[in-house]
Every structure is written in C-alpha cells, then in structure tokens.
Amino acid sequence: MPHRVAVIAPTPVSMFNVAIPEMLFGKVEVDGRPGYEVLVCSAEPGPVSTTGGLDLYVRHGFDAVREADTVVVAGTGAPFEPEPRIVAAVREAAAAGKRIASICTGAFQLAEAGLLHGRRATTYWAHADEMRRRYPQVELQGDVLYVQDGPYVTSSGYAAGIDLCLHIIRTDYGAAVANEVARLALVAPVRPGGQTQFTHTPLPPERGTACADTRGWAMRNLDKPLTLSDLARHAGVSVRTLTRRFHAESGVSPLQWLLHQRIERAKELLETTTLAMDQVAAACGLGTADSLRAHMVRRTGLTPSAYRAQFSRHGTGAAAVTSSVA
C-alpha cells in the first residue's frame, strides 16, 4: 500500500503550499507503483479561499487525516488565527502516533495544538518573532530550511516546503529516490535542514543623517582595514561620540555595521565573480580566506565555496536564490 499523506488546507490557504506535496510525493514510484497517495482535505469539503483570491475546491474532509500516515498542514494567509478544527485534528493525529509536518505558517497550527512545546521547530522567517511571542515554549530555529524533532517536521517559507517533502521522501525511501524526484521536478537535490533560509538580513532602519557621509565613505572603502578611529576621524568626532551617534542612527555599533557590510559584499562577490577566496576576502576587508570562511559559516551555515556553488550568477553557476523565499 502507498504511504498515505493528508494535506490540510487552512483558510485562506497558499495554493503553492498545497501543490508542493502533490507535486513531489506524486512523483515517487517504488517497483513501478506509487509510493504515496496524497489527499487534500479541509474541515468542511467544498470551496476553500486562497491567498491569491481564488477558491480551491477540496473534496475531502478530516476522515483523510484519520486514515493518513503523514499529515501536512499547509501555510495560510491568516497565521495568527489558528482554526480550532484543524488544531483538534492534528492533536488527534499526534495522539494516534502519525507523523505531522507543516509548511510555512502552518507551524502556527501545530504550535497552537501544543505539539511543538519543548521541541525545535521553524516557520517563515517574517513571522518568527510573532511565534516566539505567542509560543515561548517552542524552541524556534528562526533561520533554517526545515527542522525535524521526533515525529514533527516544520519548514520555513514557500520553497522550503520542497526541501521538507524531499526530506520526508528520503526518510521513507532513501536518498536515491529523493534525488530522482528532485531531478524529475527540476528542483535542487535534498538540502540539509540546518542550512539557512538565506533571507536578506537588513540592519535596523536608519534614523538620522549625521553619520551618513561616514557610512558612505566606509562603503567605498570596505577593502581597507577600517578601525573605529578611522571612522571617527572621517566624521570629525571622538570615538565615543561616533559610537553614540552611530548606534542612535543605525541601531548597531559602528563595528557591527561594518562587519555586516563586509559580509554582504563578500556574498555579492561570491555570487557574481570568480575571484579566488583570498581575493574576495581582501576586497571586502575580511583579511584572509580563513577569516572569510569563519564569517560565512557563522552567517549562512555554508562555506564560501558551497555558497558560491549554490548561488553563483556567473557563467554556468547555479541560478541565484537571494530572496526571502528560500
């Protein structure tokens, strides 16, 4: 018998989230037979509104959840309003020992059901702070693609649901099957869940202009070993005054701001050039290839070489994926 998967569609549901499990699980064949049976369900069969303004006609109710081996809760445009019947359904599924997964904001339904209390989990990065506020018992991993803790698997936003489904396929049928599905679906092979979401990580919004000229000057001189004294000298103030003004305007210290800009420049060079690692490190002021590696691993979870292999926009490199929809 194929492994049965019930995909729960909250209201309003993300059609992309609903399509991901069907697209990937539907491509699994084992000895010439389907590896999965996928049913989309809702609390009440019939039209379900979507985040795109369309209605999705869902044929199955929560009987599909009770008969499933794995339950996947899709993301919704109303993540802070968990649906009581979905919450009850996933609680019942958990009590029956089923594997339960969520894509994007579907994690809020699992958290509301208490399934993630004391467990590691993730959700779409833009809503991570709200999940921490609402569910402090959850050990939220805010910048990873997906997390499995026991029978519960949660993914971050949008396309990270692809990674979650490939992870489930690999768990059930092995890496060769999962990678074949990835090839058929024209998506990246199985990626480790601990890889970061590669969201743009902006600094706090600037709230003043007193240090604007110095920030611009520093951006033009990132290849130089700038110090606090250098920045203060350019601004024509003491180090203490610079630090106070800089933090008031940028929300961070001058050196924190400078390191952020250096790493962002390094990522840009890795994506758009074929410079050697020592050259990249020198061009963004990080000194050596070893220093570049340490900062890139800390910020992205990948070495510079691995980051370039995945995100290069130069020559035959892989297409860049720099938005928040990792």
Side-chain angles (χ1 to χ4, degrees):
M1 293 290 294
H3 188 101
R4 292 166 297 184
V5 178
V7 181
I8 296 178
T11 303
V13 70
S14 163
M15 289 192 294
F16 184 51
N17 279 194
V18 170
I20 288 171
E22 190 282 327
M23 176 183 72
L24 294 173
F25 294 135
K27 293 188 180 329
V28 175
E29 287 193 357
V30 180
D31 298 328
R33 298 180 180 179
Y36 294 93
E37 176 187 5
V38 182
L39 297 178
V40 177
C41 61
S42 62
E44 292 184 10
V48 174
S49 64
T50 72
T51 54
L54 304 176
D55 283 345
L56 177 70
Y57 191 86
V58 177
R59 297 181 181 275
H60 303 280
F62 283 165
D63 285 346
V65 174
R66 287 185 281 273
E67 296 170 0
D69 303 298
T70 295
V71 179
V72 179
V73 183
T76 172
F80 312 142
E81 302 172 14
E83 298 182 29
R85 285 181 289 183
I86 293 178
V87 171
V90 296
R91 279 196 188 123
E92 181 181 337
K98 302 178 188 296
R99 177 172 55 194
I100 303 177
S102 65
I103 298 175
C104 194
T105 56
F108 281 82
Q109 310 277 355
L110 274 60
E112 181 69 17
L115 306 187
L116 304 180
H117 289 190
R119 292 183 181 273
R120 293 176 297 113
T122 192
T123 190
Y124 182 40
W125 67 271
H127 298 314
D129 288 343
E130 184 64 20
M131 175 163 280
R132 289 190 182 96
R133 188 184 73 79
R134 289 172 177 262
Y135 307 106
Q137 306 94 332
V138 178
E139 189 180 330
L140 193 68
Q141 312 288 297
D143 194 27
V144 297
L145 295 177
Y146 60 87
V147 177
Q148 177 158 5
D149 192 329
Y152 308 124
V153 195
T154 54
S155 77
S156 57
Y158 297 103
I162 295 173
D163 298 289
L164 177 143
C165 290
L166 290 174
H167 166 72
I168 290 175
I169 295 168
R170 179 179 58 188
T171 300
D172 292 341
Y173 294 109
V177 172
N179 286 330
E180 176 63 12
V181 169
R183 187 183 69 82
L184 292 172
L186 300 178
V187 298
V190 180
R191 296 189 287 177
Q195 183 169 310
T196 65
Q197 295 179 30
F198 295 106
T199 59
H200 178 54
T201 52
L203 295 173
E206 294 178 0
R207 296 182 291 271
T209 59
C211 296
D213 287 345
T214 297
R215 288 194 294 269
W217 172 77
M219 289 292 293
R220 295 189 297 272
N221 290 275
L222 286 179
D223 59 323
K224 298 180 174 60
L226 302 177
T227 65
L228 267 177
S229 296
D230 294 329
L231 296 172
R233 188 178 304 111
H234 181 274
V237 297
S238 68
V239 168
R240 184 175 180 178
T241 298
L242 173 80
T243 301
R244 185 180 67 254
R245 289 181 181 176
F246 213 100
H247 198 283
E249 292 183 13
S250 301
V252 293
S253 72
L255 293 184
Q256 286 174 321
W257 179 89
L258 189 60
L259 178 59
H260 178 93
Q261 303 303 336
R262 293 191 192 284
I263 294 171
E264 291 301 306
R265 177 66 58 80
K267 289 161 65 176
E268 178 184 348
L269 292 174
L270 290 169
E271 292 173 18
T272 60
T273 76
T274 58
L275 291 173
M277 296 308 168
D278 279 329
Q279 292 175 299
V280 171
C284 61
L286 289 176
T288 66
D290 287 342
S291 177
L292 170 66
R293 178 187 176 92
H295 286 295
M296 286 295 296
V297 169
R298 188 176 301 115
R299 177 64 61 88
T300 70
L302 294 178
T303 64
S305 296
Y307 186 92
R308 170 174 278 168
Q310 186 151 341
F311 295 101
S312 174
R313 289 176 285 180
H314 184 88
T316 59
V321 184
T322 56
S323 74
S324 66
V325 299

